[in-house]
């Protein structure tokens, strides 16, 4: 039974690969009985691939540009949707009857195998627009037919937010109204770090969270970590953003993932993210940001982001949405 069901994630570069490693390790730690699959882009370093190989049952390299099929044609038409097409590739995993997709910027806090009792397409409401689902975690049934339809759909119609969440919400457009069992509970099963912006509710319900989704532009791997003090640092990170979840992510990375990375890289320098090793800390891989992105934005920037579907869920603008969302769920 479990052999034909899988958790699936996606890493298009070495930074997201670290996220996938931590996610995969967290699923293993909570003793999932499902298979673990990671889709990777062609640019992920061999060293990262070998570490992914040790955590996941299957590592699938997806290069839409080389595919020569409908995906390639779709990409020629909509080059802006490159990463989206890579993610849609999860529908081709037809060796599995059912899968749960999880973004590489999520982390599980308990065993969540019960998600496989749900049907396609189950997902949690998006905190910014609750009538849309968040495509960070969703239940789906691999199918070549659905895959082809998704590709045609997105090349014809594009994506209203420029990414996979827009495509998937337009395609599975009855999600909001059709079947409430396809709504994963927001608080319990997809509690994002955004909850921190509504602290009273978080204190009340946060301990029941099963999945943390590190929404927003700044990802856990963009910070740095001091294993000696257990402190997570980021240049523009206000002190209250030192969340327990972020520390949890880094502890898992430093204890379970980093040793394997060090082995894989050997003498080759790489971006560890940890501050104790100054010789390595100064090095960055090609995809690492040279300046840490600022958390504080002007309202102009925030508005632009919001309209581009990249709301800063950790910022001020999220409070009212989340409060409304929580109220509606917790009645
Ligand atoms: C889906 O397509 C792939 C590639 O063409 C093929 O290997 C696989 O057998 C197909 N799956 C099903 C269930 O038809
Ligand atoms: C584009 O969207 C419209 C409206 O949702 C839909 O009817 C149509 O089938 C879509 N196009 C494709 C190629 O799927
Ligand atoms: C506490 C709670 O409501 N947890 C729910 C999380 O989602 C699973 C299924 O995905 C439900 O069975 C749980 O009740």
């Amino acid at each position: 039974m479990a052999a034909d069901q899988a958790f699936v994630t996606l890493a298009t570069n070495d930074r997201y690969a670290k996220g996938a490693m931590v996610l995969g390790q967290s699923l293993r730690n909570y003793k999932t009985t499902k298979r673990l699959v990671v889709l990777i882009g062609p640019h992920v370093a061999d060293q990262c691939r070998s570490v992914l190989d040790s955590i996941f049952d299957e590592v699938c390299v997806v290069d839409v540009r080389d595919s020569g099929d409908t995906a390639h044609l779709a990409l020629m038409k909509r080059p802006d949707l490159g990463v989206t097409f890579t993610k849609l590739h999860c529908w081709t995993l037809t060796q599995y009857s059912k899968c749960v997709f999880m973004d590489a910027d999520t982390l599980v806090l308990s065993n969540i195998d019960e998600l496989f009792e749900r049907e396609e397409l189950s997902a949690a409401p998006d905190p910014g627009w609750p009538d849309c689902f968040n495509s960070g975690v969703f239940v789906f049934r691999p199918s070549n037919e659905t895959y082809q339809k998704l590709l045609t759909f997105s090349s014809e119609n594009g994506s209203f937010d420029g990414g996979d969440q827009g495509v998937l919400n337009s395609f599975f457009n009855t999600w909001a109204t059709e079947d409430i069992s396809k709504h994963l509970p927001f608080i319990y099963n997809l509690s994002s770090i955004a909850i921190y912006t509504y602290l009273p509710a978080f204190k009340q319900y946060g301990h029941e969270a099963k999945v943390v989704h590190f929404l927003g532009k700044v990802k856990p791997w963009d910070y740095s970590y001091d294993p000696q003090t257990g402190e997570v640092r980021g240049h523009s990170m206000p002190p209250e953003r030192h969340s327990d979840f972020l520390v949890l992510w880094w502890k898992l990375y430093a204890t379970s993932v980093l040793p394997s990375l060090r082995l894989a890289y050997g003498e080759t320098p790489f971006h560890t993210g940890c501050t104790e090793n100054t010789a390595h800390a100064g090095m960055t891989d090609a995809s690492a940001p040279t300046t840490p992105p600022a958390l504080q934005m002007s309202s102009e920037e925030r508005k632009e982001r919001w309209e581009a579907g990249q709301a800063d869920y950790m910022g001020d603008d999220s409070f009212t949405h989340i409060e409304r969302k929580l109220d509606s769920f917790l009645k």
Side-chain angles (χ1 to χ4, degrees), residues 112 114-118 184-185 188-189 208 210:
I112 53 166
E114 77 266 12
L115 282 178
F116 287 83
E117 290 160 20
R118 307 260 177 170
L184 305 181
Y188 306 113
N189 288 322
E208 304 197 43
K210 292 189 174 190

Side-chain angles (χ1 to χ4, degrees), residues 36 74 86 91 93 105 127 145 149 159 186 220 227 265 289 301 307:
L36 300 188
T86 308
W91 262 273
L93 298 167
D105 57 354
E145 197 192 338
K149 282 186 184 161
S159 164
F186 177 69
Y265 275 94
E301 279 175 307
E307 284 165 359

Side-chain angles (χ1 to χ4, degrees), residues 149 152-153 156-157 173:
K149 282 186 184 161
T152 320
F153 184 91
E156 294 296 326
N157 286 331
N173 63 359

